[in-house]
């Protein structure tokens, strides 16, 4: 996850144990029983540690160690697919893509709620409830936040998540089980036994025995849990930022983003999106014994389901209204979007008595918050230059307060959107905080348009550098193509120093602006050559602040390769892909070499970039383009000369002089381990690995069906090892 190093040597020892055991395994008689035991043990550990991590936020092991457990499980399951079970944590990374969603009929329809748009309507609702049950005393209600996401139904059979479906039209939804399995807060298996009794929580330090009482649980139990799938605002922002960096269209709000993520035919895409879930109801159920909504929420929580801790009990409608006001007041400070409050009669007996009316329950109502829109005037239209040169038209607004936040600008997204909405300077417009994040213009109020107004004409030159602007066919973005455009450089420098890249503390956009404007930085590498005296010439800098910035810059020199790659700002290479590239190539030199290898020299299958699962044609081309530019390679030289680290975290567990500093290339099929595992064994001993053969290669390990790499190694006179010889080398 983030390159943490192992804290002890025990892992290395474990690996060696396995290694010694392996060669004795005969392929025709695999020790299936011990493999199954290992798989079960791994799953238990992974479930336990991810529970600590995701639900309790108190991990006991490092991310690196967790990744190792996970990798081992994936490896074993790939080798022994018949041991894969639907509740294996491996299913969370996403199953194979499907062509369409299957339909699921809800055995109990998922009803929609009546809405209340005002407090008066809440009072009327309470009167109807009390009249219907002929009681005049105060009713006990449960008041819950109304998540702005998508309703979903999760069916657990004997504690196991078997079907997840969207609400659809209420009676038929879509089967999104594979996608929902990737949502980490949703348990794949409930701590559930018959009669709703739960399995005891293991004491700290003990592992959770998920497979105990398995026979006992053959008693049939069904529990259909309903709730909302949503995307937290922080995750939504990060997703949109990543999309902006890749020039992909942005999601308008977290709900749209959640819907887009859930309706992916490829569950791996869903797995990469930050979805969350909050349970609030049950549908069909057997073996559950609760009498009220309040008890139900408590039970769901006990079973391990995520349940909002914002739910409150209220006696009488006055108390309900008080809570609604509180929710409305606090909605902006919540880490997720809510679009209202749901009010339910607490008692299930009363709910049954009240029944339903025109497909809505009579015992519940949704209090909707008023939309967050205001009108204001457009005082100007400008274009912002992004890190990759993308121009985003922005409406400059007369300041207006929209639900607590003063808005002075609203995005117009791109040229087409500007044309479609026909926003003009002087227009009165309705603005809203879309998804509470990026303010946008909802519509132009045409009645208020000045008579002499003219359609806005976009500039033909970059507002920052006056360079030419192009719009490529099939792209929605206009782009400044001047490589030394100062606006792009400012954005790039800010990105380079950001938390996700080189993490240079104290270097934000304000300092980046000054450094570029004063000509102290002409490319991001220059930041490592800034002097104390130069910093003192900047506005607001004194001895202490200058010293602090220099110290932060110095610390950043030691960031691992993945962060440096992220910081380079290669189009299409985000944090995730940067990590993949760093894991694959380990040094900047090897990545550069791969990117500069002429494409013709390799068949597609042999291309070191295209060989990586996550790299497609477009990204491979983008990486090649980047390294092909002289200015970029010159920048790398500057970075290198400044002492910036150019390799990834290597955890040498067992230093071995025969491996130390030697470069290994693997080719063909290995029988005793996967290629990744073999490469890791080399690196753990201090060796290096590469995906292509060159003069710098020390050993080529050739498995069966070794191809052109072996031939090339023979030509270059490089030592070729058989798998057995490599194995002997490891074990001596
Ligand atoms: Zn420009």
């Amino acid at each position: 996850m983030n390159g943490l190093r192992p804290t002890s040597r025990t892992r290395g020892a474990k690996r060696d144990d396995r290694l010694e055991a392996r060669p004795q395994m005969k392929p025709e008689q695999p020790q299936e029983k011990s493999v199954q035991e290992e798989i079960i043990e791994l799953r238990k550990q992974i479930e336990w540690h991810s529970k600590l991590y995701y639900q309790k936020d108190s991990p006991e092991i490092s991310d690196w160690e967790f990744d190792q457990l996970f990798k081992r499980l994936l490896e074993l399951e790939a080798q022994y697919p018949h041991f894969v079970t639907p509740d294996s944590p491996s299913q969370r990374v996403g199953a194979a893509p499907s062509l369409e969603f299957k339909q699921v009929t809800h055995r109990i329809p998922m009803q929609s709620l009546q809405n209340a748009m005002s407090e008066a309507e809440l009072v009327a609702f309470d009167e109807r409830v009390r009249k219907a049950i002929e009681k005049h005393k105060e009713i006990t209600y449960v008041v819950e936040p109304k998540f702005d996401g998508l309703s979903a139904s999760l069916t657990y059979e004997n504690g196991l998540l078997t079907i997840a479906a969207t609400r659809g039209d209420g009676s038929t939804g879509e089967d999104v089980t594979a996608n929902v399995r990737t949502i980490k807060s949703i348990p794949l298996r409930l701590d559930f036994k018959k009669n709703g009794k739960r399995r005891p929580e293991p004491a700290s330090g003990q592992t959770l025995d998920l497979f105990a009482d398995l026979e006992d649980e053959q008693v049939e139990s069904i529990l259909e849990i309903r709730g909302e799938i949503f995307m937290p605002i922080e995750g939504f922002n990060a997703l949109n930022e990543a999309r902006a960096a890749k020039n992909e269209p942005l999601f308008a709000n977290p709900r749209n983003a959640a819907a887009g993520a859930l309706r992916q035919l490829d569950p791996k895409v869903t797995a990469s999106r930050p979805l969350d879930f909050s349970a609030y109801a049950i549908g069909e159920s057997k073996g559950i014994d609760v009498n009220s909504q309040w008890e139900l929420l408590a039970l769901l929580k006990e079973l391990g389901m995520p349940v909002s801790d914002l739910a409150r009990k209220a006696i009488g409608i006055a108390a309900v209204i008080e809570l609604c006001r509180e929710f409305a007041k606090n909605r902006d400070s919540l880490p997720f979007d809510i679009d209202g409050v749901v009010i339910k009669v607490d008692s299930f007996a009363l709910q049954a008595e009240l029944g339903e009316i025109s497909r809505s329950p009579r015992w519940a109502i949704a209090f909707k918050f008023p939309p967050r829109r205001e009108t204001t005037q457009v005082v100007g239209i400008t274009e912002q230059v992004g890190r990759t040169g993308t121009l985003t038209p922005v409406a400059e607004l007369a300041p207006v307060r929209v639900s607590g936040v003063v808005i002075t600008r609203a995005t117009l997204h791109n040229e087409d959107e500007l044309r479609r909405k026909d926003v003009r300077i002087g227009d009165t417009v309705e603005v809203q905080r879309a998804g509470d994040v990026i303010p946008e213009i909802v519509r132009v109020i045409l009645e208020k348009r000045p008579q002499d107004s003219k359609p806005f004409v976009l500039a033909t030159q970059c507002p920052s550098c006056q360079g030419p602007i192009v719009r490529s066919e099939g792209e929605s973005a206009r782009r400044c193509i001047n490589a030394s455009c100062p606006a792009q450089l400012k954005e790039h420098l800010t990105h380079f120093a950001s938390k996700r890249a080189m993490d240079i503390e104290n270097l934000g956009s304000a300092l980046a602006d000054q450094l570029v404007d004063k000509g102290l930085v002409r490319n991001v590498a220059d930041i490592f050559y800034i002097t104390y005296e130069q910093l003192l010439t900047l506005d607001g800098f004194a001895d202490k602040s200058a010293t602090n910035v220099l110290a932060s810059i110095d610390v950043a020199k030691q960031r691992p390769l993945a962060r440096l790659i992220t910081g380079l700002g290669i189009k299409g290479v985000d944090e995730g892909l940067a990590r993949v590239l760093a894991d694959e190539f380990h040094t900047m030199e090897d990545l550069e070499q791969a990117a500069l290898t002429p494409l013709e020299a390799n068949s597609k299958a042999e291309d070191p970039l295209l060989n990586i699962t996550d790299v497609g044609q477009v990204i491979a081309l983008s990486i090649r383009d980047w390294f092909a530019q002289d200015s970029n390679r010159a920048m790398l030289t500057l970075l290198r000369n400044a002492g910036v680290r150019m390799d990834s975290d290597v955890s040498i567990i067992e230093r071995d002089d025969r491996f130390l500093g030697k470069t290994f290339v693997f080719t063909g099929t290995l029988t005793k381990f996967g290629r990744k595992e073999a490469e890791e064994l080399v690196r753990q001993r201090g060796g290096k690995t590469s995906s292509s053969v060159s003069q710098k290669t020390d050993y080529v390990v050739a498995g069966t069906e070794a191809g052109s790499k072996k031939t090339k190694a023979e030509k270059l006179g490089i030592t070729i090892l058989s798998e057995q010889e490599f194995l002997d080398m490891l074990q001596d």
Side-chain angles (χ1 to χ4, degrees), residues 385 389 391 461-469 480-482 484-488:
V385 188
L391 296 167
Q461 292 178 323
C462 170
S464 171
C465 68
Q466 279 72 50
I469 290 173
C480 163
I481 52 169
N482 173 10
S484 54
C485 171
Q488 288 181 48

Side-chain angles (χ1 to χ4, degrees), residues 65-299:
E65 286 169 299
F66 184 83
D67 286 349
Q68 298 310 307
L69 292 175
F70 211 96
K71 256 181 170 159
R72 178 69 185 148
L73 176 65
L74 291 179
E75 241 169 60
L76 286 177
E77 287 189 346
Q79 233 177 323
Y80 303 92
H82 52 289
F83 289 145
V84 179
T85 57
D87 66 333
S88 169
S90 63
Q91 300 304 297
R92 288 208 192 270
V93 294
S98 54
L99 292 174
E100 56 172 11
F101 294 105
K102 277 185 289 182
Q103 303 270 297
V104 174
T105 305
H106 300 298
R107 280 183 273 198
I108 298 176
M110 293 179 78
Q111 296 177 319
S112 53
L113 297 183
Q114 313 166 57
N115 288 330
M117 311 305 286
S118 65
E119 291 178 0
E121 287 181 46
L122 285 180
V123 172
F125 161 74
D126 178 60
E127 277 168 7
R128 286 198 302 274
V129 167
R130 284 187 294 150
K131 198 171 164 203
I133 55 176
E134 291 172 359
K135 272 183 190 159
H136 298 285
K137 64 168 193 167
E138 305 271 50
I139 304 283
T140 302
Y141 293 103
V142 174
V143 180
E144 300 168 39
K146 187 173 181 302
F147 286 86
D148 198 4
L150 297 104
S151 308
S153 142
L154 316 177
T155 302
Y156 289 85
E157 291 175 50
N158 297 325
L160 197 67
L161 176 64
T162 49
I163 300 169
T166 60
R167 179 180 177 277
D169 62 4
S171 52
T172 309
E174 285 175 327
D175 183 345
V176 286
T177 313
N179 291 349
V180 164
R181 283 204 178 108
T182 69
I183 302 176
K184 298 192 176 61
S185 60
I186 294 182
L188 299 178
R189 197 183 178 91
L190 292 180
D191 295 349
F192 179 71
K193 282 172 69 173
K194 55 182 169 164
N195 301 325
K197 279 195 203 115
R198 55 188 282 270
R199 198 178 284 126
E201 193 80 4
S204 164
Q206 248 183 304
T207 51
L208 179 68
D209 192 358
L210 284 168
F211 292 81
D213 311 320
L214 208 58
E215 272 159 72
D216 194 8
E217 288 189 11
Q218 296 309 313
V219 184
E220 193 191 353
S221 76
I222 286 189
L223 179 57
E224 184 205 338
I225 295 175
R226 292 173 177 182
E228 200 85 349
I229 291 173
F230 63 97
M231 190 176 286
I233 290 172
E234 199 185 328
F236 167 75
N237 284 337
L239 175 64
N240 258 357
E241 275 169 34
R243 289 175 74 85
K246 286 192 259 182
N247 274 310
E248 289 168 354
L250 301 186
F251 289 109
N253 55 50
R255 189 170 51 80
N256 288 358
L262 191 61
R263 294 200 76 263
Q264 287 290 335
L265 289 169
D266 184 354
K268 286 194 178 62
V269 177
T270 312
S272 71
R273 306 267 168 91
L275 292 177
D276 205 342
F277 181 77
S278 186
Y280 51 66
I282 50 171
E284 190 182 28
S285 72
K286 260 185 224 170
I288 281 282
D289 185 23
V290 285
N291 299 313
S292 71
Q293 175 68 11
W294 192 249
E295 283 178 23
L296 175 68
L297 292 180
L299 175 72

